[in-house]
Coordinates of all heavy atoms in Angstrom, one line a residue:
M1 N -10.0 -33.5 7.0 CA -10.4 -33.1 8.4 C -11.8 -32.5 8.4 O -12.2 -31.7 7.5 CB -9.3 -32.0 8.8 CG -9.6 -31.6 10.3 SD -8.6 -30.2 10.7 CE -7.3 -31.0 11.6
R2 N -12.5 -32.8 9.5 CA -13.9 -32.3 9.6 C -13.9 -30.9 10.1 O -13.1 -30.5 10.9 CB -14.7 -33.1 10.6 CG -15.1 -34.4 10.1 CD -16.0 -35.1 11.1 NE -16.6 -36.3 10.5 CZ -17.4 -37.0 11.1 NH1 -17.9 -36.7 12.3 NH2 -17.9 -38.1 10.5
N3 N -14.8 -30.1 9.6 CA -15.0 -28.8 10.0 C -15.8 -28.8 11.3 O -17.0 -29.3 11.2 CB -15.7 -27.9 8.9 CG -15.9 -26.5 9.3 OD1 -15.8 -26.1 10.5 ND2 -16.2 -25.7 8.3
P4 N -15.3 -28.4 12.4 CA -16.1 -28.4 13.7 C -17.5 -27.7 13.6 O -18.4 -28.2 14.2 CB -15.2 -27.7 14.7 CG -13.8 -27.8 14.1 CD -14.0 -27.8 12.7
A5 N -17.5 -26.6 12.9 CA -18.8 -25.9 12.7 C -19.8 -26.7 12.0 O -21.0 -26.7 12.3 CB -18.5 -24.6 12.0
M6 N -19.3 -27.4 10.9 CA -20.2 -28.3 10.2 C -20.7 -29.5 11.0 O -21.9 -29.8 11.0 CB -19.6 -28.9 8.9 CG -19.4 -27.8 7.8 SD -18.5 -28.4 6.4 CE -19.5 -29.8 5.9
Y7 N -19.8 -30.0 11.9 CA -20.2 -31.1 12.7 C -21.2 -30.7 13.8 O -22.2 -31.4 14.0 CB -18.9 -31.7 13.4 CG -19.2 -32.8 14.4 CD1 -19.6 -34.1 13.8 CD2 -19.2 -32.7 15.7 CE1 -19.8 -35.1 14.7 CE2 -19.5 -33.7 16.6 CZ -19.8 -35.0 16.0 OH -20.1 -36.0 16.9
A8 N -21.0 -29.5 14.4 CA -22.0 -29.0 15.3 C -23.3 -28.7 14.7 O -24.3 -29.0 15.3 CB -21.4 -27.7 16.0
A9 N -23.3 -28.2 13.5 CA -24.5 -27.9 12.8 C -25.3 -29.2 12.5 O -26.5 -29.3 12.6 CB -24.3 -27.1 11.5
A10 N -24.6 -30.2 12.1 CA -25.2 -31.5 11.8 C -25.8 -32.1 13.1 O -26.9 -32.7 13.1 CB -24.2 -32.5 11.2
S11 N -25.1 -32.0 14.2 CA -25.6 -32.5 15.5 C -26.9 -31.7 15.9 O -27.8 -32.3 16.4 CB -24.6 -32.3 16.6 OG -23.4 -33.2 16.3
R12 N -26.8 -30.4 15.7 CA -27.9 -29.6 16.0 C -29.1 -29.9 15.2 O -30.3 -30.0 15.6 CB -27.6 -28.1 15.8 CG -28.5 -27.1 16.4 CD -28.1 -25.7 16.4 NE -26.7 -25.5 16.1 CZ -26.1 -25.1 15.0 NH1 -26.9 -24.8 13.9 NH2 -24.8 -24.9 14.8
D13 N -28.9 -30.2 13.9 CA -30.0 -30.6 12.9 C -30.6 -31.9 13.4 O -31.8 -32.1 13.3 CB -29.5 -30.7 11.5 CG -29.1 -29.3 10.9 OD1 -29.5 -28.3 11.5 OD2 -28.4 -29.3 9.9
R14 N -29.7 -32.8 13.8 CA -30.3 -34.1 14.3 C -31.1 -33.9 15.5 O -32.2 -34.5 15.7 CB -29.1 -35.0 14.6 CG -29.6 -36.4 15.1 CD -28.4 -37.4 15.2 NE -28.8 -38.7 15.6 CZ -29.2 -39.1 16.8 NH1 -29.0 -38.2 17.8 NH2 -29.6 -40.3 17.1
F15 N -30.7 -33.0 16.4 CA -31.5 -32.8 17.6 C -32.8 -32.1 17.3 O -33.9 -32.4 17.8 CB -30.7 -31.9 18.6 CG -30.3 -32.6 19.8 CD1 -29.2 -33.4 19.8 CD2 -31.0 -32.5 21.0 CE1 -28.8 -34.1 20.9 CE2 -30.6 -33.2 22.1 CZ -29.5 -34.0 22.1
V16 N -32.8 -31.2 16.3 CA -34.1 -30.6 15.8 C -35.0 -31.7 15.3 O -36.2 -31.7 15.5 CB -33.8 -29.5 14.8 CG1 -35.0 -29.0 14.1 CG2 -33.0 -28.3 15.5
A17 N -34.4 -32.6 14.5 CA -35.3 -33.7 13.9 C -35.8 -34.6 15.0 O -37.0 -35.0 15.0 CB -34.4 -34.5 13.0
L18 N -35.0 -34.9 16.1 CA -35.5 -35.7 17.2 C -36.6 -34.9 17.9 O -37.6 -35.5 18.4 CB -34.3 -36.0 18.2 CG -33.3 -37.0 17.7 CD1 -32.2 -37.1 18.7 CD2 -34.0 -38.4 17.6
A19 N -36.4 -33.6 18.1 CA -37.5 -32.8 18.8 C -38.8 -32.9 18.0 O -39.9 -32.9 18.7 CB -37.0 -31.4 18.9
A20 N -38.7 -32.9 16.7 CA -39.9 -33.0 15.9 C -40.7 -34.3 16.1 O -41.9 -34.4 16.0 CB -39.6 -32.8 14.4
M21 N -39.9 -35.3 16.5 CA -40.5 -36.7 16.7 C -40.9 -36.8 18.2 O -41.3 -37.9 18.6 CB -39.5 -37.8 16.3 CG -39.2 -37.8 14.8 SD -38.2 -39.2 14.3 CE -36.7 -38.9 15.3
G22 N -40.6 -35.8 19.0 CA -40.9 -35.9 20.5 C -39.9 -36.7 21.2 O -40.2 -37.2 22.3
E23 N -38.7 -36.8 20.7 CA -37.6 -37.6 21.4 C -36.7 -36.8 22.2 O -35.6 -37.2 22.6 CB -36.8 -38.4 20.3 CG -37.6 -39.5 19.7 CD -38.0 -40.6 20.6 OE1 -37.1 -41.0 21.5 OE2 -39.1 -41.1 20.6
V24 N -37.0 -35.5 22.4 CA -36.1 -34.6 23.1 C -36.9 -33.9 24.3 O -38.1 -33.6 24.2 CB -35.6 -33.5 22.2 CG1 -34.9 -32.4 22.9 CG2 -34.7 -34.1 21.1
V25 N -36.2 -33.8 25.4 CA -36.8 -33.1 26.6 C -36.2 -31.7 26.5 O -35.0 -31.5 26.4 CB -36.4 -33.7 27.9 CG1 -37.1 -33.0 29.1 CG2 -36.9 -35.2 27.9
E26 N -37.1 -30.7 26.4 CA -36.7 -29.3 26.3 C -36.8 -28.5 27.6 O -37.8 -28.7 28.3 CB -37.5 -28.6 25.2 CG -37.3 -29.0 23.8 CD -38.0 -28.2 22.8 OE1 -39.1 -27.6 23.1 OE2 -37.6 -28.1 21.7
G27 N -35.9 -27.6 27.8 CA -35.9 -26.7 29.0 C -35.4 -27.4 30.2 O -35.6 -28.5 30.5
S28 N -34.6 -26.6 31.0 CA -34.0 -27.1 32.2 C -35.0 -27.6 33.2 O -34.8 -28.5 33.9 CB -33.1 -26.1 32.8 OG -33.7 -24.9 33.1
K29 N -36.2 -26.9 33.3 CA -37.2 -27.3 34.3 C -37.8 -28.7 33.9 O -38.0 -29.5 34.7 CB -38.4 -26.3 34.3 CG -38.0 -25.0 35.0 CD -39.2 -24.1 35.1 CE -38.9 -22.8 35.8 NZ -40.0 -21.8 35.8
N30 N -38.0 -28.9 32.6 CA -38.6 -30.2 32.1 C -37.6 -31.3 32.3 O -37.9 -32.4 32.6 CB -39.0 -30.1 30.7 CG -40.2 -29.2 30.5 OD1 -41.0 -29.0 31.5 ND2 -40.4 -28.5 29.4
I31 N -36.3 -31.0 32.0 CA -35.2 -32.0 32.1 C -35.1 -32.4 33.6 O -35.0 -33.5 34.0 CB -33.9 -31.4 31.6 CG1 -34.0 -31.2 30.1 CG2 -32.8 -32.4 31.9 CD1 -32.9 -30.4 29.5
A32 N -35.1 -31.4 34.5 CA -35.0 -31.6 35.9 C -36.2 -32.5 36.4 O -36.0 -33.4 37.2 CB -34.9 -30.3 36.7
A33 N -37.4 -32.2 36.0 CA -38.6 -32.9 36.4 C -38.5 -34.4 35.8 O -38.8 -35.3 36.5 CB -39.8 -32.3 35.8
Y34 N -38.0 -34.5 34.6 CA -37.8 -35.9 34.0 C -36.9 -36.7 34.8 O -37.1 -37.9 35.1 CB -37.4 -35.7 32.6 CG -37.5 -37.0 31.8 CD1 -38.6 -37.4 31.1 CD2 -36.3 -37.8 31.6 CE1 -38.7 -38.5 30.4 CE2 -36.4 -39.0 30.8 CZ -37.6 -39.3 30.2 OH -37.7 -40.5 29.5
V35 N -35.8 -36.1 35.2 CA -34.7 -36.8 36.0 C -35.1 -37.0 37.5 O -34.7 -37.9 38.1 CB -33.4 -36.1 35.8 CG1 -32.3 -36.7 36.7 CG2 -32.9 -36.2 34.4
G36 N -35.8 -36.0 38.0 CA -36.2 -36.0 39.4 C -35.3 -35.3 40.3 O -35.1 -35.7 41.5
V37 N -34.6 -34.3 39.8 CA -33.8 -33.4 40.6 C -34.2 -32.0 40.4 O -35.0 -31.7 39.6 CB -32.3 -33.6 40.3 CG1 -31.8 -35.1 40.5 CG2 -32.0 -33.2 38.8
S38 N -33.5 -31.1 41.2 CA -33.9 -29.7 41.1 C -33.3 -29.1 39.8 O -32.3 -29.6 39.2 CB -33.4 -28.9 42.3 OG -32.0 -28.9 42.3
Q39 N -33.8 -27.9 39.4 CA -33.2 -27.2 38.2 C -31.8 -26.8 38.4 O -31.0 -27.1 37.5 CB -34.1 -26.0 37.9 CG -33.8 -25.3 36.6 CD -34.7 -24.2 36.3 OE1 -35.5 -23.8 37.1 NE2 -34.5 -23.6 35.1
P40 N -31.3 -26.3 39.6 CA -29.9 -25.9 39.7 C -29.0 -27.2 39.6 O -27.9 -27.1 39.0 CB -29.8 -25.3 41.1 CG -31.2 -24.7 41.3 CD -32.1 -25.7 40.7
T41 N -29.5 -28.3 40.2 CA -28.7 -29.5 40.1 C -28.6 -30.0 38.7 O -27.5 -30.4 38.3 CB -29.4 -30.6 41.0 OG1 -29.5 -30.2 42.3 CG2 -28.6 -31.9 40.9
I42 N -29.6 -30.0 37.9 CA -29.5 -30.5 36.5 C -28.6 -29.6 35.7 O -27.8 -30.1 34.9 CB -30.9 -30.6 35.9 CG1 -30.9 -31.6 34.7 CG2 -31.4 -29.3 35.3 CD1 -30.7 -33.0 35.1
L43 N -28.6 -28.3 36.0 CA -27.7 -27.3 35.3 C -26.3 -27.6 35.6 O -25.4 -27.6 34.8 CB -28.1 -25.9 35.6 CG -29.4 -25.4 34.9 CD1 -29.8 -24.1 35.5 CD2 -29.4 -25.4 33.4
K44 N -26.0 -27.9 36.9 CA -24.7 -28.3 37.3 C -24.2 -29.6 36.6 O -23.1 -29.7 36.2 CB -24.6 -28.5 38.8 CG -24.6 -27.2 39.6 CD -24.6 -27.4 41.1 CE -25.0 -26.1 41.8 NZ -25.1 -26.4 43.3
M45 N -25.1 -30.6 36.5 CA -24.8 -31.8 35.9 C -24.5 -31.7 34.4 O -23.5 -32.3 33.9 CB -25.9 -32.8 36.1 CG -26.1 -33.2 37.5 SD -27.7 -34.1 37.7 CE -27.1 -35.6 38.4
I46 N -25.2 -30.8 33.8 CA -25.0 -30.6 32.3 C -23.7 -29.8 32.1 O -22.9 -30.2 31.3 CB -26.2 -29.8 31.7 CG1 -27.4 -30.7 31.7 CG2 -25.9 -29.3 30.3 CD1 -28.7 -30.0 31.3
H47 N -23.5 -28.8 32.9 CA -22.2 -28.0 32.8 C -21.0 -28.9 33.2 O -19.9 -28.7 32.6 CB -22.2 -26.8 33.7 CG -23.2 -25.7 33.1 ND1 -22.9 -25.1 31.9 CD2 -24.3 -25.2 33.6 CE1 -23.9 -24.2 31.7 NE2 -24.8 -24.3 32.7
A48 N -21.2 -29.9 34.0 CA -20.1 -30.8 34.4 C -19.8 -31.8 33.3 O -18.8 -32.6 33.4 CB -20.3 -31.4 35.7
G49 N -20.8 -32.0 32.4 CA -20.6 -32.9 31.3 C -21.2 -34.3 31.7 O -21.0 -35.3 30.9
E50 N -21.9 -34.4 32.8 CA -22.5 -35.7 33.1 C -23.6 -36.1 32.2 O -23.9 -37.2 31.9 CB -23.0 -35.6 34.6 CG -22.0 -35.5 35.6 CD -22.6 -35.5 37.0 OE1 -23.5 -36.3 37.3 OE2 -22.1 -34.7 37.8
I51 N -24.3 -35.1 31.7 CA -25.5 -35.3 30.8 C -25.2 -34.4 29.6 O -25.1 -33.2 29.6 CB -26.8 -34.8 31.5 CG1 -27.1 -35.6 32.7 CG2 -28.0 -35.0 30.5 CD1 -28.2 -35.1 33.5
P52 N -25.2 -35.1 28.4 CA -25.0 -34.3 27.1 C -26.2 -33.5 26.8 O -27.3 -34.0 26.8 CB -24.6 -35.3 26.1 CG -25.2 -36.6 26.6 CD -25.2 -36.5 28.1
A53 N -26.0 -32.2 26.5 CA -27.2 -31.4 26.1 C -26.8 -30.4 25.0 O -25.6 -30.1 24.8 CB -27.7 -30.6 27.3
F54 N -27.8 -29.9 24.3 CA -27.6 -28.9 23.3 C -28.4 -27.7 23.6 O -29.5 -27.8 24.2 CB -28.0 -29.5 21.9 CG -27.0 -30.4 21.3 CD1 -27.0 -31.8 21.6 CD2 -26.0 -29.9 20.5 CE1 -26.1 -32.6 21.0 CE2 -25.1 -30.8 19.9 CZ -25.1 -32.2 20.2
V55 N -28.0 -26.6 23.1 CA -28.8 -25.4 23.1 C -29.3 -25.2 21.7 O -28.4 -25.0 20.8 CB -28.1 -24.2 23.7 CG1 -29.0 -22.9 23.6 CG2 -27.7 -24.4 25.1
V56 N -30.6 -25.2 21.4 CA -31.1 -25.0 20.1 C -32.0 -23.8 20.2 O -33.0 -23.8 21.0 CB -31.9 -26.2 19.6 CG1 -32.5 -25.9 18.2 CG2 -31.0 -27.4 19.5
G57 N -31.6 -22.7 19.5 CA -32.3 -21.4 19.7 C -31.9 -20.9 21.1 O -30.8 -20.7 21.4
N58 N -32.9 -20.8 22.0 CA -32.6 -20.4 23.4 C -33.1 -21.5 24.3 O -33.2 -21.3 25.5 CB -33.2 -19.1 23.7 CG -34.8 -19.1 23.7 OD1 -35.3 -20.1 23.2 ND2 -35.4 -18.1 24.2
K59 N -33.3 -22.7 23.8 CA -33.8 -23.8 24.7 C -32.7 -24.9 24.9 O -32.0 -25.3 23.9 CB -35.0 -24.5 24.0 CG -36.2 -23.7 23.9 CD -37.2 -24.2 24.9 CE -38.5 -23.4 24.8 NZ -39.4 -23.7 25.8
L60 N -32.6 -25.3 26.1 CA -31.7 -26.4 26.4 C -32.4 -27.7 26.1 O -33.6 -27.9 26.4 CB -31.4 -26.4 27.9 CG -30.3 -27.3 28.4 CD1 -29.0 -27.0 27.8 CD2 -30.2 -27.1 29.9
Q61 N -31.8 -28.6 25.4 CA -32.4 -29.9 24.9 C -31.5 -31.1 25.2 O -30.3 -31.0 25.1 CB -32.7 -29.8 23.4 CG -33.7 -28.8 23.0 CD -34.1 -28.9 21.6 OE1 -33.5 -29.6 20.8 NE2 -35.1 -28.1 21.2
V62 N -32.2 -32.2 25.6 CA -31.5 -33.4 25.9 C -32.3 -34.5 25.3 O -33.5 -34.6 25.4 CB -31.4 -33.6 27.5 CG1 -30.7 -35.0 27.7 CG2 -30.6 -32.5 28.1
S63 N -31.6 -35.5 24.7 CA -32.3 -36.7 24.1 C -32.9 -37.5 25.2 O -32.3 -37.8 26.2 CB -31.2 -37.5 23.3 OG -31.7 -38.7 23.0
K64 N -34.2 -37.9 25.0 CA -34.8 -38.8 26.0 C -34.1 -40.1 26.1 O -34.0 -40.7 27.2 CB -36.3 -39.1 25.6 CG -37.2 -38.1 26.0 CD -38.7 -38.5 25.7 CE -39.6 -37.5 26.1 NZ -41.0 -37.9 25.8
S65 N -33.6 -40.7 25.0 CA -33.0 -42.0 25.1 C -31.7 -41.9 25.9 O -31.3 -42.8 26.6 CB -32.7 -42.6 23.7 OG -32.0 -41.7 22.9
L66 N -30.9 -40.8 25.7 CA -29.7 -40.6 26.5 C -30.0 -40.4 28.0 O -29.4 -41.0 28.9 CB -28.9 -39.4 26.0 CG -28.2 -39.6 24.7 CD1 -27.5 -38.3 24.3 CD2 -27.2 -40.7 24.8
L67 N -31.1 -39.7 28.3 CA -31.5 -39.5 29.7 C -31.9 -40.9 30.3 O -31.6 -41.2 31.4 CB -32.7 -38.5 29.8 CG -32.3 -37.1 29.8 CD1 -33.6 -36.2 29.9 CD2 -31.4 -36.8 31.0
D68 N -32.7 -41.7 29.5 CA -33.2 -43.0 30.0 C -32.0 -43.9 30.3 O -31.9 -44.6 31.3 CB -34.1 -43.6 29.1 CG -35.5 -42.9 29.0 OD1 -35.8 -42.2 29.9 OD2 -36.2 -43.0 28.0
A69 N -31.0 -43.9 29.4 CA -29.8 -44.7 29.6 C -29.0 -44.2 30.8 O -28.5 -45.0 31.6 CB -28.9 -44.7 28.3
W70 N -28.9 -42.9 31.0 CA -28.1 -42.4 32.1 C -28.8 -42.7 33.4 O -28.2 -43.1 34.4 CB -28.0 -40.8 31.9 CG -27.3 -40.2 33.0 CD1 -25.9 -40.1 33.1 CD2 -27.9 -39.4 34.1 NE1 -25.6 -39.3 34.3 CE2 -26.8 -39.0 34.8 CE3 -29.2 -39.2 34.5 CZ2 -27.0 -38.2 36.0 CZ3 -29.4 -38.4 35.6 CH2 -28.3 -38.0 36.4
L71 N -30.2 -42.6 33.4 CA -30.9 -42.9 34.7 C -30.8 -44.4 35.0 O -30.6 -44.8 36.2 CB -32.4 -42.6 34.5 CG -32.7 -41.1 34.5 CD1 -34.2 -40.9 34.1 CD2 -32.6 -40.6 35.9
L72 N -30.8 -45.3 34.0 CA -30.6 -46.7 34.2 C -29.2 -47.0 34.8 O -29.1 -47.8 35.7 CB -30.8 -47.5 32.9 CG -30.7 -49.0 33.0 CD1 -31.7 -49.6 34.0 CD2 -30.8 -49.6 31.6
M73 N -28.2 -46.4 34.3 CA -26.9 -46.6 34.8 C -26.8 -46.1 36.2 O -26.1 -46.7 37.1 CB -25.8 -45.8 33.9 CG -25.6 -46.5 32.6 SD -25.1 -48.2 32.6 CE -23.5 -48.0 33.4
R74 N -27.4 -45.0 36.6 CA -27.4 -44.5 37.9 C -28.0 -45.5 38.9 O -27.6 -45.7 40.0 CB -28.1 -43.1 38.0 CG -27.2 -42.0 37.7 CD -27.8 -40.7 37.9 NE -28.1 -40.5 39.4 CZ -28.2 -39.3 40.0 NH1 -28.0 -38.2 39.2 NH2 -28.4 -39.2 41.2
Q75 N -29.2 -46.0 38.4 CA -29.9 -47.0 39.2 C -29.0 -48.3 39.4 O -29.0 -48.8 40.5 CB -31.2 -47.4 38.6 CG -32.2 -46.2 38.7 CD -33.5 -46.6 37.9 OE1 -33.5 -47.5 37.1 NE2 -34.5 -45.7 38.0
L76 N -28.4 -48.7 38.4 CA -27.5 -49.9 38.5 C -26.3 -49.7 39.4 O -26.0 -50.6 40.3 CB -27.0 -50.3 37.1 CG -28.1 -50.9 36.2 CD1 -27.4 -51.2 34.8 CD2 -28.6 -52.2 36.7
H77 N -25.7 -48.5 39.4 CA -24.6 -48.2 40.3 C -25.1 -48.1 41.7 O -24.4 -48.6 42.6 CB -24.0 -46.8 39.9 CG -23.1 -46.9 38.7 ND1 -21.9 -47.5 38.7 CD2 -23.3 -46.5 37.4 CE1 -21.3 -47.5 37.5 NE2 -22.2 -46.9 36.7
A78 N -26.3 -47.6 41.9 CA -26.9 -47.5 43.3 C -27.2 -48.9 43.8 O -26.9 -49.2 45.0 CB -28.1 -46.7 43.3
L79 N -27.7 -49.8 43.0 CA -28.0 -51.1 43.4 C -26.7 -51.9 43.7 O -26.6 -52.6 44.7 CB -28.8 -51.9 42.3 CG -30.3 -51.5 42.2 CD1 -30.9 -52.2 41.0 CD2 -31.0 -51.9 43.4
N80 N -25.7 -51.8 42.9 CA -24.4 -52.4 43.1 C -23.8 -51.9 44.4 O -23.2 -52.7 45.2 CB -23.5 -52.2 41.9 CG -23.9 -53.1 40.7 OD1 -24.5 -54.1 40.8 ND2 -23.5 -52.6 39.6
A81 N -23.9 -50.7 44.7 CA -23.3 -50.1 45.9 C -24.1 -50.6 47.1 O -23.5 -50.9 48.2 CB -23.4 -48.6 45.9
A82 N -25.4 -50.8 47.0 CA -26.2 -51.3 48.1 C -25.9 -52.7 48.5 O -25.9 -53.1 49.6 CB -27.7 -51.2 47.7
V83 N -25.6 -53.5 47.5 CA -25.2 -54.9 47.8 C -23.7 -55.2 47.9 O -23.3 -56.3 48.2 CB -25.8 -55.9 46.7 CG1 -27.3 -55.9 46.8 CG2 -25.3 -55.6 45.4
G84 N -23.0 -54.1 47.8 CA -21.5 -54.2 48.0 C -20.8 -54.8 46.8 O -19.6 -55.2 47.0
E85 N -21.3 -54.8 45.7 CA -20.6 -55.2 44.5 C -20.0 -54.1 43.7 O -20.5 -53.0 43.8 CB -21.6 -56.0 43.5 CG -22.2 -57.2 44.1 CD -23.1 -57.9 43.2 OE1 -23.2 -57.5 42.0 OE2 -23.8 -58.9 43.6
P86 N -18.9 -54.3 43.0 CA -18.3 -53.2 42.3 C -19.2 -52.8 41.2 O -20.0 -53.5 40.6 CB -17.0 -53.9 41.7 CG -17.3 -55.3 41.7 CD -18.2 -55.6 42.9
A87 N -19.2 -51.5 40.8 CA -20.0 -50.9 39.8 C -19.6 -51.4 38.4 O -20.5 -51.6 37.6 CB -19.9 -49.4 39.8
Q88 N -18.4 -51.7 38.2 CA -17.9 -52.2 36.9 C -17.5 -53.7 37.1 O -16.9 -54.1 38.1 CB -16.7 -51.4 36.4 CG -16.9 -50.0 36.2 CD -17.9 -49.8 35.0 OE1 -17.9 -50.5 34.0 NE2 -18.7 -48.7 35.1
P89 N -17.8 -54.5 36.1 CA -17.4 -55.9 36.2 C -15.9 -56.1 36.2 O -15.2 -55.3 35.5 CB -18.1 -56.6 35.0 CG -18.4 -55.5 34.1 CD -18.5 -54.3 34.9
K90 N -15.4 -57.0 36.9 CA -13.9 -57.3 36.9 C -13.6 -58.0 35.6 O -14.3 -58.9 35.2 CB -13.6 -58.1 38.1 CG -13.7 -57.4 39.4 CD -13.3 -58.2 40.6 CE -13.5 -57.5 41.9 NZ -13.1 -58.3 43.0
P91 N -12.4 -57.7 35.1 CA -12.0 -58.4 33.9 C -11.7 -59.9 34.2 O -11.2 -60.2 35.3 CB -10.7 -57.7 33.5 CG -10.3 -56.9 34.6 CD -11.4 -56.7 35.5
V92 N -12.0 -60.8 33.3 CA -11.7 -62.2 33.4 C -10.3 -62.5 33.0 O -9.9 -62.1 31.9 CB -12.7 -63.0 32.6 CG1 -12.4 -64.5 32.7 CG2 -14.2 -62.7 33.0
R93 N -9.6 -63.1 33.9 CA -8.2 -63.5 33.6 C -8.2 -64.9 33.1 O -8.8 -65.8 33.6 CB -7.3 -63.4 34.8 CG -7.1 -61.9 35.2 CD -6.1 -61.8 36.3 NE -6.0 -60.4 36.7 CZ -5.2 -60.0 37.6 NH1 -4.5 -60.9 38.4 NH2 -5.2 -58.7 37.9
K94 N -7.3 -65.2 32.1 CA -7.2 -66.5 31.5 C -6.0 -67.2 32.0 O -5.0 -66.7 32.4 CB -7.2 -66.5 30.0 CG -8.5 -66.0 29.4 CD -8.4 -66.0 27.9 CE -9.7 -65.5 27.4 NZ -9.8 -65.5 26.0

């Protein structure tokens, strides 16, 4: 069985490594600016679990690649809603 503390530490270490490569957006103001919403809105989204984030030290951090994927999914859902198509593809029956 995995030790949750070890798993959290490994995830945190990975985020620190990503931050060193510039792959992390730090701070709620920067995250909000990157996404294009207000700071209170981004904090609500993070607390609701819509956007995965970590606190490293005293800084809130989010992976750029996760944010980019999340933004793309939001855009696709908005486009599908605009043309009246379902957001998820329907299963193909045989």
Side-chain angles (χ1 to χ4, degrees):
M1 179 190 262
R2 283 187 174 184
N3 180 347
M6 287 177 57
Y7 181 72
S11 296
R12 194 174 342 105
D13 291 344
R14 183 173 182 278
F15 251 78
V16 170
L18 287 172
M21 295 186 300
E23 292 293 320
V24 172
V25 182
E26 289 186 333
S28 58
K29 286 183 184 179
N30 293 333
I31 296 166
Y34 191 84
V35 173
V37 298
S38 69
Q39 186 178 5
T41 300
I42 204 71
L43 290 172
K44 287 177 190 173
M45 295 168 124
I46 290 170
H47 288 293
E50 292 181 43
I51 301 173
F54 283 89
V55 177
V56 178
N58 65 349
K59 292 256 186 185
L60 189 63
Q61 297 185 350
V62 178
S63 165
K64 273 188 184 179
S65 58
L66 287 176
L67 276 179
D68 290 338
W70 180 80
L71 286 168
L72 180 61
M73 289 302 297
R74 277 187 64 153
Q75 290 172 350
L76 290 174
H77 285 285
L79 286 172
N80 286 336
V83 295
E85 294 180 10
Q88 297 293 328
K90 293 182 181 177
V92 177
R93 294 187 179 176
K94 293 182 180 182

